[in-house]
């Protein structure tokens, strides 16, 4: 009975999100799709409680590259790139900021976690050109299945499966499977296997 009610709720919220998605698609034709996507993600981040969770998931199922029904996207969480994958069983806490990434199954993303689109988003080599005009390169970051990113972690590189990233850690190099990391920059302090 519970799964039937959840399915009905997902269907209802999909109907509610459909007009927003249509408006998003129209605005995407006029300007940059990622800018329009980020604007809608910001708007939807402001809806509190279960209503907000269901509405965010319904919209992101339409607008992202992939978003499963069975995820939680917390209040105040922002997405900046459409090319994002969120797989089933994933919990994303409140006030996260997420760029271009793949978050695999059963991940726990604590509050205030930032997942950047790699570490090369901003070039700064030319001192005669303003930083804002130097561009950069966006890379897709992968979070392996069943990994836990603690509150306030900053992720700029891939995290393997079944990893634990301590709260406040700054990940600048790829983390292997089963690692527990902490610090700035994050270093392996223990292996789970």
């Amino acid at each position: 009975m519970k799964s039937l009610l959840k399915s009905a709720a997902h269907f209802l919220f999909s109907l509610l999100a459909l007009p927003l998605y249509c408006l998003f698609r129209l605005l995407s034709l006029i300007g940059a799709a990622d800018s329009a996507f980020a604007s809608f993600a910001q708007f939807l981040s402001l809806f509190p409680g279960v209503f907000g969770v269901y509405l965010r998931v319904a919209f992101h199922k339409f607008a992202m590259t992939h978003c499963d029904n069975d995820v939680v996207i917390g209040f105040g969480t922002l997405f900046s790139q459409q090319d994002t994958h969120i797989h089933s069983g994933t919990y994303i806490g409140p006030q996260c900021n997420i760029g271009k990434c793949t978050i695999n199954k059963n991940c726990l993303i604590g509050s205030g976690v930032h997942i950047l689109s790699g570490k090369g988003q901003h070039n700064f080599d030319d001192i005669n050109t303003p930083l804002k005009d130097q561009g950069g390169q966006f890379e897709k970051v992968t979070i392996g299945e069943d990994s836990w990113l603690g509150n306030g972690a900053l992720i700029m590189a891939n995290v393997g499966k079944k990893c634990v990233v301590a709260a406040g850690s700054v990940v600048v190099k790829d983390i292997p499977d089963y690692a527990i990391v902490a610090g700035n920059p994050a270093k392996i302090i223990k292996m789970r296997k």
Side-chain angles (χ1 to χ4, degrees):
M1 184 68 164
K2 186 176 179 181
S3 79
L4 185 63
L5 288 173
K6 269 188 155 183
S7 295
H10 283 297
F11 178 74
L12 174 66
F13 278 90
S14 292
L15 291 177
L16 285 172
L18 192 55
L20 289 171
Y21 175 69
C22 292
L23 181 58
F24 156 70
R25 292 299 296 166
L26 278 171
L27 293 173
S28 295
L29 297 174
I30 298 167
D34 279 332
S35 293
F37 174 74
S39 296
F40 277 85
Q42 289 169 16
F43 171 70
L44 292 167
S45 76
L46 300 174
F47 288 90
V50 174
F51 179 87
V53 169
Y54 274 91
L55 188 59
R56 282 186 285 280
V57 169
F59 176 79
H60 292 315
K61 273 183 58 182
F62 290 126
M64 281 181 178
T65 305
H66 178 85
C67 182
D68 280 329
N69 265 342
D70 183 24
V71 301
V72 172
I73 300 171
F75 177 79
T77 289
L78 307 176
F79 293 91
S80 59
Q81 305 287 321
Q82 244 184 312
D83 187 14
T84 299
H85 294 75
I86 305 173
H87 294 278
S88 67
T90 292
Y91 170 87
I92 301 172
Q95 300 168 346
C96 293
N97 194 332
I98 299 177
K100 187 176 188 176
C101 69
T102 296
I103 303 172
N104 285 296
K105 293 192 305 184
N106 300 317
C107 286
L108 292 173
I109 313 294
S111 302
V113 171
H114 291 251
I115 302 174
L116 280 62
S117 303
K119 53 187 168 189
Q121 292 183 75
H122 299 283
N123 294 329
F124 49 86
D125 295 333
D126 183 356
I127 59 168
N128 297 315
T129 303
L131 290 169
K132 67 180 180 66
D133 297 331
Q134 291 192 41
Q137 182 177 359
F138 287 66
E139 296 173 10
K140 191 173 226 176
V141 170
T142 299
I143 310 300
E145 70 176 72
D146 194 26
S147 286
W148 174 21
L149 310 181
N151 289 5
L154 182 61
I155 312 297
M156 293 184 255
N158 299 320
V159 175
K161 68 181 179 182
K162 299 187 180 290
C163 288
V164 175
V165 176
S169 295
V170 179
V171 175
V172 294
K173 293 182 181 174
D174 290 354
I175 304 298
D177 296 346
Y178 307 104
I180 299 173
V181 300
N184 178 5
K187 292 185 168 65
I188 297 173
I189 57 172
K190 187 177 177 182
M191 295 301 286
R192 292 183 67 200
K193 247 182 145 181

